Amino acid sequence: PPARKPPMTDIATVTFRKTGLPEKGTAVLFLDDSLRIPAAAEALGIGPLLSRAVSTAAFKGGRFATLDLLVPAATALDRVLLVGLGKAAELAEEDWTRLGGAIVGALRKGEAATLIAERPDGEAVTAGQLAAIALGAVLRAYGFDRYKGRGKPRDDEARKGPPSTTHRREELSPVPRDAHQNRRFPVSV
């Protein structure tokens, strides 16, 4: 059989497990606009620390906002990442996917993290919402490594501005003077 080509990129790994608190590494916690500290933070022994960090940083818990605490005291964790939910009751289906992307965007490349999927408002995070978070995380972490360029061009290959032409004006095909002016292209954001 022909040799298999390597994949375009390594795909992020997402695993689900029963409730448990991380003992080391990075912990990710949700915080809504009420700024109630999740019970999991209290269980980790960092509730007062999070309260102080939130007030010092003037963190509002807005949707997709993040607050990063490095090497929190009195714990073996390396980082605690707070991710804002905004008004948690108003989160739409697609917001959970964006939330997963926001989490991965705040992590360093290749860093593993444990999401403590507990909403501060006391509502349960559904299996569908967890799947959407995982999808957003995988999509955000994905990269097209196979098609990237070969690095920086050598000095003799480097382009500095548009390529020069040696054509005389008469040799070029006639184009109406205003053919490319005032064109509007629809842009969706």
Side-chain angles (χ1 to χ4, degrees):
R4 290 185 65 181
K5 292 182 181 180
M8 285 195 289
T9 187
D10 292 329
I11 295 178
T13 304
V14 178
T15 57
F16 295 93
R17 64 183 173 107
K18 291 190 179 207
T19 306
L21 298 176
E23 296 177 10
K24 59 182 181 174
T26 301
V28 180
L29 297 164
F30 293 140
L31 199 64
D32 62 8
D33 61 350
S34 71
L35 302 180
R36 276 178 284 180
I37 301 301
E42 300 294 342
L44 285 169
I46 57 172
L49 176 69
L50 292 185
S51 295
R52 184 173 172 208
V54 165
S55 65
T56 301
F59 185 71
K60 305 283 187 225
R63 192 172 296 178
F64 314 121
T66 58
L67 179 63
D68 202 354
L69 288 94
L70 300 176
V71 194
T75 180
L77 294 171
D78 297 327
R79 290 173 75 185
V80 173
L81 179 65
L82 294 177
V83 180
L85 297 177
K87 295 185 185 315
E90 296 177 7
L91 284 173
E93 239 179 90
E94 64 273 1
D95 290 334
W96 293 98
T97 306
R98 291 184 59 202
L99 194 61
I103 292 168
V104 171
L107 299 174
R108 293 182 295 266
K109 185 174 182 173
E111 180 181 13
T114 302
L115 169 65
I116 301 169
E118 176 185 292
R119 287 175 48 165
D121 62 2
E123 294 292 319
V125 178
T126 67
Q129 292 166 343
L130 282 174
I133 292 170
L135 174 64
V138 169
L139 290 174
R140 177 68 184 254
Y142 191 81
F144 292 94
D145 295 338
R146 177 182 258 179
Y147 300 109
K148 284 188 178 178
R150 293 186 182 116
K152 293 183 179 181
R154 296 187 314 231
D155 288 339
D156 58 340
E157 295 176 354
R159 292 187 183 176
K160 295 182 170 99
S164 62
T165 60
T166 57
H167 299 290
R168 290 188 308 231
R169 175 162 256 165
E170 298 86 41
E171 294 175 1
L172 299 175
S173 63
V175 176
R177 185 169 221 203
D178 62 344
H180 300 291
Q181 295 176 356
N182 299 326
R183 284 197 151 180
R184 293 188 182 185
F185 298 97
V187 177
S188 60
V189 180

